[in-house]
Amino acid sequence: MSEPITGIVGYPVTPFVPDDPSTVNVEVLHQLIDRMIDAGVDAIAPLGSTGESAYLDHDEWVMVATESIRNVAARVPTVVGVSDVTTAGAVERARVAESLGATALMATPVSYWPLTEEEVRVHFTAIAAAVTVPLMAYNNPATTGIDMSPEFLVRLVAAVPNITMVKESSGDIGRMRRLRELSEGSLPYFNGRNPLALQAFDAGAAGWCTAAACLVPHRVVAFHRAVVAGDAACATECFAQMEPLLELIVSRGLPTTVKSGLRSIGIDAGDPRRPLLPLGAAEAARLAGLIAACER
Amino acid sequence: MSEPITGIVGYPVTPFVPDDPSTVNVEVLHQLIDRMIDAGVDAIAPLGSTGESAYLDHDEWVMVATESIRNVAARVPTVVGVSDVTTAGAVERARVAESLGATALMATPVSYWPLTEEEVRVHFTAIAAAVTVPLMAYNNPATTGIDMSPEFLVRLVAAVPNITMVKESSGDIGRMRRLRELSEGSLPYFNGRNPLALQAFDAGAAGWCTAAACLVPHRVVAFHRAVVAGDAACATECFAQMEPLLELIVSRGLPTTVKSGLRSIGIDAGDPRRPLLPLGAAEAARLAGLIAACER
Amino acid sequence: MSEPITGIVGYPVTPFVPDDPSTVNVEVLHQLIDRMIDAGVDAIAPLGSTGESAYLDHDEWVMVATESIRNVAARVPTVVGVSDVTTAGAVERARVAESLGATALMATPVSYWPLTEEEVRVHFTAIAAAVTVPLMAYNNPATTGIDMSPEFLVRLVAAVPNITMVKESSGDIGRMRRLRELSEGSLPYFNGRNPLALQAFDAGAAGWCTAAACLVPHRVVAFHRAVVAGDAACATECFAQMEPLLELIVSRGLPTTVKSGLRSIGIDAGDPRRPLLPLGAAEAARLAGLIAACER
Amino acid sequence: MSEPITGIVGYPVTPFVPDDPSTVNVEVLHQLIDRMIDAGVDAIAPLGSTGESAYLDHDEWVMVATESIRNVAARVPTVVGVSDVTTAGAVERARVAESLGATALMATPVSYWPLTEEEVRVHFTAIAAAVTVPLMAYNNPATTGIDMSPEFLVRLVAAVPNITMVKESSGDIGRMRRLRELSEGSLPYFNGRNPLALQAFDAGAAGWCTAAACLVPHRVVAFHRAVVAGDAACATECFAQMEPLLELIVSRGLPTTVKSGLRSIGIDAGDPRRPLLPLGAAEAARLAGLIAACER
């Protein structure tokens, strides 16, 4: 049994070749991962929402999973997003990710048609049953249209042995307290809503899943170290410096804002894949300024 | 320039082989299409939401488009759904569908990340620019998470020559009146919200896009004929007979309910693809009863 | 029933974007097709051996078929190559090509494992049965490793109604005479071995399937017109001028030589897809010279 | 550095579901692998010629690679076939196979168009450069149409650090002696031509790559143990008992014969994928008899 995952889980974007968003840029993917690990993040999570996994075809998904896990090379745990619009597809991704050496998996229910709780339950159970590594159930109603309540999530974790973590991006900090209560503190939950990171740690979150680590990895790590050290003043100050940046990146889809921000610091991860459009010039300038301010 | 599309647009499900939802059942697809045309529907719309197009891979999409258009064989217009999570994918589907002989296309913005109006506009413009056949812009916020206002839709239609029709499934009948006002009656709009079909025709809808035509095609056609004939009493009575059925089929995803209903009348279109689950026994029995009642 | 196909059947290469052989260049594809039709070729045959169809994935195949047929736009017949390593794949391609509006189809048996005559027969029969358009059976043992004898081909044509043409690239001119004898002159056969074009017309060939039409379309058409006019002296002289070019282009794979030659006349169709390599500088220069000489 | 691979390398067929050659049968794949390992084979080589890898799409390839390596679970080395018709495809497969935990890779040049030596060299160099695990260069002119001479192979091995093994299926035992001479005994070569197994060990082969291990694994292992023990009489006798079986299985493609033979011993691995046809009844009966005779 490996160590539990805690702390900063860094989410790389999936970089595309400049002017060609049909081709993954493997070199820049490696660069992003290295940069986050060098700064001290605790885990790397490729192929999440930030990784535009919903916009990749299966071949691309396999390629990005392969390259990410190779490049992380066990320096930290790798948590691979395996969400797919069909259960069969998510199961296949889960098996491939496990075989490639993923430490853990993450999935959120994505479906064109809304799903019943029973459909979500059967979906997650099938994914988990296909592998032995731990699976993180991810709730993000703003992108998936499906909202899993704390009650549902705790029942799911109780019923399926290797669903062992929850990621909450609903934006309701009360959900975390409810997860703690319902699980009697036994269920590790991660915050996925960037502007709530400080509150989430206060509410007992085991970690912070964040694409901000692409942009300001040292700052994100420093903040978390202050939290761990119990230095509330330092954590609060550190977080306050990042907060405008965190608000801005979630004002649009994370691939759009993070790729824009990366360009401002000299890393060309290309544009997001259409229909997603690059950030406009004014917002890009504001974002660049906030990143620069954070690094001061 | 071909005749404008009006009236009943029948939406086939994409049938799968019994016990094998990984394989499309082409024979049953033909059967469903023939049955609707024989009953008198005015157009066939494969690969819509009902056709589980969001759950098909590109090869399957091409195959279902090919087989549907071949089988319709120009007996009525074919309106092919070309939605895809990427703009490049939707453009490619549009070009293929046009080349296969589609009369018109239909698209709704599907995206994991929410889209800005500008992103939706660029997306639709790219699809329309790739073809010369008419394109129907489809608003269905309950499944896509993206709500296109009447104002936006009328601007879109004004700006792009071959976006010539709108389908409204938001469930707000006021939207249709607003579309009429804003376009000064020049924009044909279709109702996609089954229980609102009668109200929609009252509000000037050019047609009704419906998967109910899979289940009770004669009844749907008879209703529309009464509408066209101006026989309000007959239309109202006919609709009243269907209404409980229409409410039930939209209480869950249409692939789930329609496939269940088809089984009750001896057409095995398989189960929907997971994560979608088949209808439970109790609801299936109720649905079967409502279908039987309609056919009396 | 459409007119039988005869004369010059021009084979476009599948152009790739310069420096990116993973992306089809649709614009140059259109340019190549237009150039051949403007010069007077009698038919266009996309996705043949020359079209690198063996190196395209299914999505690319559908895209090139779609774009080719759209661009030909019925100015001349389109003969679409539907070969695939599996029978199911070739059947699917045949149905798609027919639905896209192909005039006729062409297939050659490609298989990793050698095939028995029975396996070849069942393969062709399945493809033909899936469509109603005519199918040309193509024999090219040098690339496929499978040699279909005239006896086999004539039996195949007799047994399957819509296998109505044969293309012979074995390089043995006696095969054509044998096809004529065995079919008592009723079977149209096409020459696919460029340096044998003159002899083939002498031996009764209905046409010449050639990638040389990409490079010197006017010369190829002029030669054929002399043949049709019965002007043997002119045909012989015209052919003699082309012969060194024809020998050179078949000294390596046609995608390699034709793409090199196109570059020499200002059309950048990219490089062939690896493992195929571009032509070396010395051969490229020689090829350029031979093309220039032909156009004088 | 791991131990060098020697001895019996067992090649599983890729089983399909009975009556549905479009679906891989993962359970029977596991069964075949377990059976060979339990009998004592020294390595497992999925996705070779026998594994119908040329007839699988990329998703299927990834799935079979994943499942094979998971199931072998490091009990013996796994040598994964990564051949693909494009260099980019073979490189991608190589990277995925390495990441999945393959001990070594195997590739043969497959191409529709014949390749020059330089094209083959560049192809192999690209595959090898993409990974760090050893690569076995496989020569099988009867299926690929490309014959790599001992001189070429020894130069290739000398030039590329991780091309460390050769598999010879040309059927010319002199090639092995030549490989030994040219490499001064430093290059391990494997026999891939079943009926030559005894001669090949006499000629210094490091191992025997064989699909016969699917059918008569104990016999194949017993033969090899006699060879290793230097018990020539026993080896000769043991081989003589297998020889008619080995001749019969190579009289047709190995997927065809091995799947037929498996059925005779109660393992339903389905039929080969078309255009390959199942073995006829008479040959199947003869094959069943030879297998039964071997097991006595």
Side-chain angles (χ1 to χ4, degrees), chain B residues 3-9 41-43 77 165 188 190 201 205-208 224 228:
Chain B
E3 286 293 294
I5 294 164
T6 59
I8 300 302
V9 183
V41 303
D42 300 290
M165 298 171 279
F190 292 75
F201 280 120
W208 176 21
H224 178 246
V228 169

Side-chain angles (χ1 to χ4, degrees), chain C residues 40-225:
Chain C
V41 304
D42 300 290
I44 294 288
L47 293 162
S49 306
T50 296
E52 289 177 67
S53 73
Y55 304 89
L56 304 179
D57 67 29
H58 184 66
D59 289 7
E60 292 174 319
W61 185 93
V62 170
M63 203 252 268
V64 173
T66 301
E67 293 298 332
S68 298
I69 295 170
R70 283 171 87 95
N71 192 61
V72 171
R75 289 177 284 173
V76 296
T78 309
V79 184
V80 178
V82 299
S83 306
D84 189 67
V85 73
T86 66
T87 302
V91 162
E92 167 72 4
R93 288 180 173 193
R95 292 181 74 81
V96 171
E98 179 179 69
S99 288
L100 289 169
T103 317
L105 311 179
M106 183 185 53
T108 188
V110 281
S111 175
Y112 178 81
W113 288 100
L115 300 180
T116 63
E117 251 188 38
E118 177 65 5
E119 286 171 327
V120 174
R121 194 189 64 72
V122 171
H123 179 69
F124 270 111
T125 304
I127 300 170
V131 293
T132 61
V133 288
L135 176 63
M136 181 189 285
Y138 175 27
N139 187 45
N140 191 3
T143 55
T144 65
I146 295 165
D147 193 2
M148 299 183 286
S149 68
E151 288 72 17
F152 172 80
L153 287 164
V154 167
R155 280 201 308 274
L156 185 68
V157 168
V160 184
N162 58 330
I163 303 184
T164 62
M165 299 171 278
V166 163
K167 176 179 169 193
E168 243 301 332
S169 294
S170 69
D172 172 4
I173 204 77
R175 301 269 183 119
M176 295 198 182
R177 300 208 179 84
R178 191 85 184 117
L179 286 169
R180 184 163 49 182
E181 273 172 41
L182 289 166
S183 73
E184 296 176 353
S186 68
L187 171 63
Y189 44 86
F190 292 74
N191 171 52
R193 187 77 191 163
N194 286 298
L196 297 184
L198 182 59
Q199 285 179 267
F201 280 120
D202 283 346
W208 176 20
C209 295
T210 181
C214 286
L215 298 174
V216 290
H218 291 96
R219 177 65 49 173
V220 167
V221 168
F223 160 68
H224 179 246
R225 287 181 182 163

Side-chain angles (χ1 to χ4, degrees), chain A residues 57-126:
Chain A
D57 67 28
H58 184 65
D59 290 6
E60 292 174 319
W61 186 92
V62 170
M63 204 250 271
V64 173
T66 301
E67 293 297 333
S68 298
I69 295 170
R70 282 171 87 94
N71 191 61
V72 170
R75 289 177 284 172
V76 297
T78 309
V79 184
V80 178
V82 299
S83 306
D84 190 67
V85 73
T86 66
T87 302
V91 162
E92 167 70 3
R93 289 181 173 192
R95 291 181 73 80
V96 171
E98 179 179 68
S99 288
L100 288 168
T103 316
L105 311 179
M106 181 184 55
T108 188
V110 283
S111 174
Y112 178 81
W113 288 100
L115 300 181
T116 64
E117 250 187 39
E118 177 65 5
E119 287 171 326
V120 175
R121 194 188 63 72
V122 171
H123 179 68
F124 270 112
T125 304

